[in-house]
Structure formats: C-alpha cells, structure tokens
Amino acid sequence: MTENLKSVLEALIFISVEPLTIERIKEVLPEDSEADIDEALRRLIDDYAEGTQAIHITRAAGGYVFSTKPAHDPHVRRLLQIERRKKLSGQALEVLSAIAYNQPVTQPEIAAIRGVDSSHALHTLLENNLIKISGRKEAPGRPLLYRTTDKFLAYFGLNAIEELPSADELKKLLEEGNS
Amino acid sequence: MPDSDDILDAPGPTAPVDGASAVLDPAVPSSMPAGSEGAGGDGSAVAALDLTAPASAPVDPEGYQIRLRNFEGPLDLLLFLIKKKKVEINDIPIAVITREYLAYLGQLEKMDIDREAEFLLMAAVLIYIKSQTLLPREQVLEPDFEPKQRSIDHLLPYDRIKAVVELLRDKEEEQAQIWQRSALTAPLPDGDLDLVEVSLFDLAESFFALMKRKQAETARVFKGKEISMADKMSEIVEALKAQGAIDFLDYLWAQETLEEALIAFFCLLELIKARAVMAVQEQLFHTIKVWLRKDAPEKDES
C-alpha cells in the first residue's frame, strides 16, 4: 500500500512545477491517512537522496519539488544558456534581512536599522515578489508594512522563517566570529 | 506658539548680547544643571538665553542659523549634538528657537520650501524629544526609556543584520546550484535589475544570426546613401519614443541594407552604453526588446 502511495506522490510532485504543499497532497488524496502520506513521502525523499539519480526532492516554501542535484549545475546552465545566476545585491540582501527579522516592518524602521535610505532596494524586492506589503502601521503617517513572501523562502531554500537563526543565536554567532 | 512657553521654556531675564558667547562650547552644557527647567520654572538654567536676538535675524545663504547663548549654528547640528548627548536638551529653549524662526520666516521675501520643510521637521523632532523629557513619566516604562530610541529598540541591530546577510548569501549560493523545472517557465529573480538585461554576447549572437540571413537575401546595393551614426541614433530614439519598445531583431531586419543594419547595431550598443536605452529579455528564449530608459539622461547625441 505504501509502495503504491509512494509512487502516487512521486507522480504528483513530478507534475508540479511549483512546490507541492502537503495540504494540497491531502486534498488530492483524501482516502489516505496523514501518517501514511508522511511515511511514504519520507521514504520517497530518502530514495532520491540516496540514489544515483540526477534529481532529488527538495523542500521549498513548505512544499516539495523535484530539483537537479548541485553537481549538475554547470550542465543545466549551459542548456538554459545562463552564464551565471543573478544574485541579489548586498543592499537588497540587507533590506531583506531587516525585513525577515523584524516583520512586519515599515520603511522608516528599515532605514533606522541600516542608517541609509532603502527605497530602491525595497522596490526591487517588491518587484521580484521577495517581499510584499502586508498593511499599514497604526502610527503617524500610517506607513506601509512589509513582510517576506513564500518566494523569499523558496529562493533561499527555507521552509519557514523559523529556520533562520534566532536573534540570540545570531548574537552568539557574532561573538564567536569576533573572538 | 506662545502658548507653549510655559511648558517648554520659561523665558529668563535678558542676557547681554555677546558675540563670543554664542559659539558652541561643549563645556557649557555639561556644567549646566540638568532638569532645572519645568512647568513655570524659575528659569535659572534658561537665564543664559539670548532673548535679545535681534528681530533682524540673519539671512544666511547656508540656511537659518540658531543663535543661543550656548549654541550657534544650523539646527541639524544642534539636533545631532543633542542625540549624541553632547548638548543637554533641557538647556535648549525651544520656544525661543521657534519664535525667532517665525520672525525670520516673516522677513523672508522668498521661501525655499525644501529648506524650510527640513527645518520644520528637525524642529518637530526637537520638540518631541523635549516634550518627552518634560512629561511626567509613567512608572511602567522601563527605567532606561529613551524617547528617541524607543522606535528602534525592538528592531534587530545592524551588526546582526550583517550576519544574516552572510547567511542568506550562502543559502542563495547553495540554491543557485539547484534547478527546478520552473526555471524554464519563469524568469529568475534578479537583484539589481528590474528585468533580465541581456549581455553583449546575447546581442551579438542575435546580430550575427541576422547578418547571415541578410547576406543571403541581398543583391541590392545602394550607393551614395551614407548614414551617419548620429542620424541613426536619433532615428532609433525617435522610434522608441513613438513605439515605446522595439524588437531588437525586427528593427535590424527592417533596415534596408546590411551596412545600415550594422550601423543600427552599433548605434544600439552606443545607446546601451550611454544608458539611454535598455535591452531586455523578458523571458528565457524570448526575443530581445529595447526600451528607452525612463531615468535616461536627456542628452542629445547629435
């Protein structure tokens, strides 16, 4: 039974271009128990991870998706005619970090952290859907509030924002780095 | 705002105008008793105020200068010093500053809105800081409560943000080597640019393909028709202005001769170099489009 379920899951993930969430899987397979699905999924992922296949199943933004293994990066890029993947600028990364750790956060608050204006980087991040506007702060001027998106998680290979080290862990990291 | 006098400052006796005394002296504020000023205070600390500041406030090309007994200079410097705790806020008579500033505004024949708006903003911050120090504090507030820092205290400090940046950069690097099929259908997120700008090689590759086609087609030779780069460039800019965007290949293809196409190609390269236009591939394997840059410097090449 689990073997069959495993193969069903494989098909579902294969056909999904965007990460397939566990919620969606349950919707599609109402007759299977949650425990069965979890078990089958885990075994499927292990099979790919340990196997010699060129692809594996990665988690991104809380969903599952087939990806090529890192070893094949050069060849894939040649096929796609991409010399180098575009990277976020240091500025954009800073703003993104400030938002990720303080969300929801306003532009003046981001500026207060960084000490410089961040409007350009904010614009770029918004256009790339790495952040979104989540409302307005009940403060003078009612400034817009920003949050990170699921695409942010997927872009950095995270499943949840909690996977980033906590503020205290960061402090420790910094202290270790300095000593 | 005369009403605020009682709260903010108790005007003290007039001090003699002394040019030298107006120079900022860091020793003065620190030696001054802090908090000697309250509602209806006796103004002992404020006694040092220069209330005789002449109605003819100076119109300085560098902006409005504040002249107090213990400070002289622009408001932003004052604000900076207060934030750095080099100057005690309680020693700064805000009512005097506002009164004199209003007098100064009244004298101005022409107002520089930007400059005055900036002044107003800084003055508002100053008043805010001062009002926070004067208001009775609620006991529930933390003992080290600082009005000007309250808003950023709960935010992650910058050094830790820098650590996160390093971490995210590693993750980005890691993720960059993993490909999903969505890469074929969706453009990748890119950092600095709004769209995927194409490289010179992309342009050249497209062009060489075109040249081959053009060469095969041609038997027509036009003599005597000379086209200058400058003419072609303004022609391209005109076309862009009229159409918004042009298809890179189609445009070159539409040129009458190979030579003209060549010139158009070089013109496009020049325009891209001058950052007047932008060559963009909206998606992988799509055609290359050329746009006028919105932020392009309005410069006429011809």
Side-chain angles (χ1 to χ4, degrees):
Chain A
M1 181 58 210
T2 339
E3 263 328 290
N4 181 42
L5 183 57
K6 201 174 87 175
S7 142
V8 169
L9 290 172
E10 190 174 9
L12 295 182
I13 296 171
F14 170 76
I15 209 67
S16 305
V17 172
E18 298 297 327
L20 184 65
T21 62
I22 191 82
E23 289 78 21
R24 191 80 187 99
I25 294 174
K26 283 181 202 152
E27 272 172 41
V28 177
L29 306 171
E31 63 276 11
D32 290 288
S33 78
E34 203 173 323
D36 280 354
I37 293 177
D38 286 347
E39 167 68 10
L41 201 52
R42 198 180 53 73
R43 286 179 43 199
L44 179 66
I45 292 171
D46 287 351
D47 283 358
Y48 272 101
E50 289 154 15
T52 52
Q53 295 94 327
I55 51 176
H56 55 172
I57 297 175
T58 51
R59 287 195 70 184
Y64 299 87
V65 66
F66 273 113
S67 317
T68 59
K69 288 182 178 171
H72 304 296
D73 171 48
H75 312 101
V76 174
R77 276 191 287 124
R78 219 176 294 160
L79 172 75
L80 298 182
Q81 300 179 349
I82 295 173
E83 254 181 69
R84 205 171 72 81
R85 268 193 171 180
K86 282 256 156 61
K87 299 278 173 66
L88 289 172
S89 67
Q91 228 199 27
L93 275 176
E94 265 188 40
V95 173
L96 206 48
S97 310
I99 295 173
Y101 274 83
N102 299 303
Q103 55 186 323
V105 67
T106 66
Q107 186 173 344
E109 286 168 329
I110 298 167
I113 297 170
R114 298 183 61 227
V116 291
D117 177 66
S118 309
S119 46
H120 179 74
L122 269 178
H123 187 72
T124 306
L125 293 171
L126 272 175
E127 281 209 335
N128 284 306
N129 293 323
L130 291 169
I131 57 168
K132 63 183 175 195
I133 292 167
S134 69
R136 286 178 179 277
K137 188 171 185 164
E138 290 305 328
R142 308 206 348 112
L144 293 172
L145 287 165
Y146 295 95
R147 275 185 178 283
T148 54
T149 58
D150 281 352
K151 190 166 171 206
F152 160 81
L153 296 176
Y155 183 78
F156 291 103
L158 302 164
N159 291 306
I161 198 80
E162 289 75 27
E163 282 184 16
L164 288 172
S166 73
D168 292 337
E169 284 166 347
L170 279 176
K171 198 176 168 192
K172 265 184 218 142
L173 270 175
L174 275 175
E175 281 159 4
E176 280 164 24
N178 289 339
S179 58
Chain B
M1 282 169 279
D3 290 353
S4 61
D5 278 11
D6 287 347
I7 304 163
L8 296 181
D9 310 291
T14 301
V17 188
D18 179 3
S21 72
V23 179
L24 173 67
D25 178 1
V28 174
S30 53
S31 67
M32 283 219 170
S36 62
E37 182 189 1
D42 61 9
S44 59
V46 203
L49 298 184
D50 183 357
L51 286 185
T52 60
S56 60
V59 181
D60 195 294
E62 296 192 4
Y64 180 71
Q65 302 279 317
I66 293 169
R67 284 165 198 278
L68 300 173
R69 176 80 174 206
N70 48 9
F71 178 85
E72 177 176 354
L75 183 58
D76 53 352
L77 176 61
L78 177 60
L79 202 57
F80 174 78
L81 290 170
I82 287 171
K83 283 186 171 169
K84 290 272 170 207
K85 295 201 163 63
K86 299 272 187 208
V87 169
E88 173 62 47
I89 179 82
N90 287 319
D91 297 337
I92 301 302
I94 289 169
V96 176
I97 294 177
T98 45
R99 195 161 42 232
E100 283 176 13
Y101 181 68
L102 287 175
Y104 159 80
L105 276 190
Q107 283 179 1
L108 279 185
E109 284 167 9
K110 240 172 74 185
M111 202 189 280
D112 180 344
I113 295 287
D114 282 343
R115 203 162 71 184
E116 306 318 333
E118 206 176 333
F119 185 95
L120 280 183
L121 173 71
M122 290 188 289
V125 172
L126 201 62
I127 290 171
Y128 174 73
I129 294 173
K130 183 138 187 180
S131 68
Q132 290 295 310
T133 64
L134 292 180
L135 283 172
R137 285 185 195 178
E138 300 251 359
Q139 293 311 307
V140 288
L141 291 179
E142 288 161 38
D144 57 349
F145 173 74
E146 296 250 354
K148 65 179 181 296
Q149 281 174 5
R150 186 196 54 186
S151 60
I152 60 167
D153 265 357
H154 67 281
L155 299 173
L156 196 69
Y158 188 62
D159 59 339
R160 280 183 234 175
I161 292 290
K162 290 300 267 185
V164 182
V165 167
E166 289 310 309
L167 196 120
L168 287 184
R169 208 185 279 287
D170 289 348
K171 289 229 176 255
E172 185 183 38
E173 188 67 40
E174 226 169 77
Q175 285 307 113
Q177 296 179 9
I178 298 176
W179 293 87
Q180 285 140 20
R181 288 188 304 137
S182 53
L184 287 168
T185 53
L188 295 163
D190 50 81
D192 286 324
L193 306 164
D194 297 328
L195 285 162
V196 185
E197 264 193 276
V198 294
S199 73
L200 176 61
F201 298 104
D202 296 324
L203 288 175
E205 204 180 323
S206 295
F207 182 67
F208 291 138
L210 176 98
M211 281 208 352
K212 277 217 181 97
R213 266 157 65 191
K214 205 87 179 156
Q215 250 168 348
E217 172 209 55
T218 188
R220 296 179 293 169
V221 178
F222 289 84
K223 276 260 156 94
K225 187 180 178 187
E226 283 196 3
I227 313 123
S228 77
M229 290 259 302
D231 287 348
K232 197 47 138 186
M233 248 188 254
S234 28
E235 195 185 305
I236 291 172
V237 172
E238 284 311 310
L240 282 173
K241 275 184 184 152
Q243 298 168 34
I246 56 176
D247 187 297
F248 175 74
L249 272 184
D250 283 357
Y251 187 78
L252 295 183
W253 187 238
Q255 302 299 314
E256 282 199 284
T257 62
L258 190 59
E259 186 193 81
E260 210 174 333
L262 254 172
I263 290 173
F265 178 63
F266 286 125
C267 286
L268 273 172
L269 290 186
E270 278 296 323
L271 287 168
I272 291 169
K273 195 177 129 206
R275 302 189 73 78
V277 305
M278 180 162 65
V280 162
Q281 203 171 18
E282 276 173 287
Q283 275 184 26
L284 213 58
F285 309 133
H286 273 214
T287 55
I288 295 169
K289 284 217 157 68
V290 178
W291 310 70
L292 266 186
R293 271 183 188 274
K294 285 190 201 85
D295 53 346
E298 271 297 317
K299 208 172 80 184
D300 208 345
E301 294 283 339
S302 49

